Amino acid sequence: MNKEYYRSHLKLDFIAMTGQHKLHRAKILVIGAGGLGCPCLTALSASGIGNIGIADGDLVSSTNISRQTLFNYADTGKFKTTAAIQSLISRNPYLLYHEHRFFVNEENILSLIEPYDIVIDATDNFHTRYLINDACVVKSKPLVYGAIFQTEGHLTVFNYQNSPTLRCLFREPEQEEAIPSCADRGAYMITTNMIGTMMANEAIKVALNQEDVLTGKLLSFEALGAATMLTSYHTDKLSENKSYLRFKGVPKAIELAAEDFAERTQTMGMELIDVRTTSERKDQHIGGKHIPLQDLDQLDLTRFCDNHHFYFYCQTGVRSLQAAKRLRSKGFKNAFSLKNGITSFNYQLQNS
């Protein structure tokens, strides 16, 4: 940790050296690298959050640059996650940035948020917001929520220390087609910047275990009139149960295509294992541990919790699939195999 970089923080009683170390150990995921995500990510990076994940499958568009402040015209056409990380590294190179270059869905959301301490919802559609909320309830992750409508902004924190969730505040999602996007309704960049920065503030307060986290209260802000209002809301267990029901019975694919496999193996808290022979590994490999399939039973599984992630690969995908199935039969539901093996992996990545 570069102490010189955080000199101002170290002078603050509620942060100081102890708090700055807490921030450096924190793992925060921001879903959405748009108008809210950009200022939020900027503040998290400047504050020294040690591990910052960014999930978004969209590309930078020139029409969005005015409010998506991590990007410039040279970034047009790039993946937002890639451009965002390049920009953040130029500001603070002392952190770890984790790129998740895809849109979240029911199949990937649970594994995506698993390694992180705090999740920030910087998306702009209700379908995704409820998906993120439900996943955070299932995985017991605090969720920082921000939303804007033209010059209005809203902010709260869900699912922190048994606090209410999104479904307690808004029991049912509104009709998706009835809600215009920022591109359609317009967005005041002052509002997006303020709410995005305030979202980072709430995440930092959670990481520091502050007592004044914005839970059970929705902060509403109107930029032109500089007016704020706090609205209380309470836990609704019946609504919260819908979060668990959402993921009940959702199948978890055991084979992953090359791009998804490469993305997931860049995350924290996982095991990448090559189950080929020694001679095959000498010719070529993509990293990870080497445990030939016949020796897999020697892996000490007692040191792993049942939600630990294992990613297996081999030459064609046959042996790695056997390995993944073997671990799933032992209760490890997050065991995956590289579909079609390392040959397909190299070909697809070179031609993507």
Side-chain angles (χ1 to χ4, degrees):
M1 186 180 72
N2 188 311
K3 295 180 182 179
E4 186 68 19
Y5 188 96
Y6 307 112
R7 178 184 292 184
S8 294
H9 271 189
L10 300 181
K11 297 176 181 178
L12 300 174
D13 291 340
F14 75 99
I15 298 181
M17 184 61 72
T18 300
Q20 196 61 55
H21 278 296
K22 284 184 179 180
L23 297 180
H24 191 69
R25 292 192 298 268
K27 299 182 287 291
I28 298 180
L29 171 67
V30 179
I31 303 179
L36 291 172
C38 284
C40 181
L41 286 163
T42 301
L44 293 176
S45 176
S47 297
I49 300 301
N51 285 273
I52 299 175
I54 311 173
D56 199 318
D58 201 5
L59 304 177
V60 177
S61 169
S62 60
T63 60
N64 298 328
I65 289 174
S66 65
R67 70 177 186 279
Q68 297 178 5
T69 51
L70 282 176
F71 313 131
N72 56 54
Y73 280 105
D75 295 321
T76 302
K78 293 181 181 179
F79 279 97
K80 287 183 177 180
T81 50
T82 303
I85 288 175
Q86 290 172 346
S87 181
L88 292 171
I89 288 175
S90 71
R91 290 168 164 81
N92 189 346
Y94 307 110
L95 311 175
L96 294 177
Y97 302 97
H98 307 277
E99 183 178 8
H100 306 286
R101 202 169 63 185
F102 53 80
F103 294 110
V104 296
N105 56 42
E106 287 189 342
E107 291 187 355
N108 62 33
I109 184 69
L110 294 178
S111 59
L112 171 66
I113 69 174
E114 179 66 40
Y116 294 95
D117 306 318
I118 303 164
V119 178
I120 298 178
D121 178 3
T123 62
D124 65 355
N125 69 83
F126 272 81
H127 173 77
T128 304
R129 289 186 180 281
Y130 279 83
L131 173 65
I132 296 170
N133 172 82
D134 294 344
C136 286
V137 171
V138 170
K139 289 295 185 178
S140 299
K141 305 287 184 180
L143 172 62
V144 179
Y145 170 97
I148 63 163
F149 179 78
Q150 296 182 340
T151 63
E152 299 176 9
H154 304 280
L155 177 72
T156 190
V157 178
F158 298 125
N159 205 49
Y160 176 60
Q161 296 182 347
N162 298 314
S163 70
T165 74
L166 173 64
R167 290 187 181 275
C168 302
L169 180 59
F170 304 116
R171 294 189 180 183
E172 295 292 338
E174 300 181 34
Q175 293 298 314
E176 186 70 21
E177 60 271 14
I179 304 171
S181 66
C182 288
D184 295 327
R185 69 192 177 210
Y188 187 35
M189 66 86 59
I190 299 297
T191 308
T192 58
N193 271 266
M194 293 189 70
I195 296 298
T197 302
M198 293 168 74
M199 292 165 70
N201 182 46
E202 291 304 313
I204 290 168
K205 285 156 61 177
V206 171
L208 292 174
N209 300 311
Q210 292 287 105
E211 296 181 355
D212 53 350
V213 175
L214 197 61
T215 57
K217 295 179 181 179
L218 178 70
L219 173 66
S220 300
F221 170 77
E222 206 289 315
L224 297 183
T228 60
M229 180 176 66
L230 280 177
T231 305
S232 297
Y233 60 97
H234 305 283
T235 299
D236 183 337
K237 289 297 182 183
L238 185 60
S239 295
E240 284 189 347
N241 288 339
K242 293 182 180 179
S243 298
Y244 293 98
L245 292 174
R246 177 181 198 135
F247 292 100
K248 187 176 182 180
V250 174
K252 184 174 289 187
I254 191 170
E255 291 185 289
L256 302 176
E259 187 172 352
D260 194 9
F261 189 88
E263 170 62 40
R264 295 197 190 193
T265 54
Q266 297 303 310
T267 60
M268 302 163 288
M270 62 85 195
E271 297 289 319
L272 175 63
I273 301 175
D274 180 356
V275 295
R276 299 173 302 159
T277 64
T278 300
S279 60
E280 286 177 302
R281 184 172 175 84
K282 285 182 178 179
D283 288 338
Q284 182 187 37
H285 65 84
I286 56 174
K289 295 180 179 178
H290 179 221
I291 306 177
L293 182 62
Q294 63 269 23
D295 298 332
L296 188 61
D297 289 334
Q298 298 178 16
L299 179 63
D300 181 13
L301 296 175
T302 60
R303 61 191 182 93
F304 300 108
C305 57
D306 58 8
N307 62 1
H308 194 83
H309 287 233
F310 297 88
Y311 297 91
F312 297 98
Y313 69 92
C314 66
Q315 203 67 29
T316 63
V318 174
R319 286 168 289 175
S320 59
L321 180 58
Q322 293 178 27
K325 288 181 176 179
R326 190 179 301 180
L327 258 68
R328 288 203 179 191
S329 69
K330 296 182 179 181
F332 293 90
K333 301 303 181 184
N334 292 311
F336 303 92
S337 167
L338 171 59
K339 188 175 182 179
N340 297 325
I342 190 173
T343 303
S344 174
F345 178 86
N346 289 327
Y347 174 80
Q348 290 188 46
L349 291 190
Q350 289 171 5
N351 293 273
S352 60

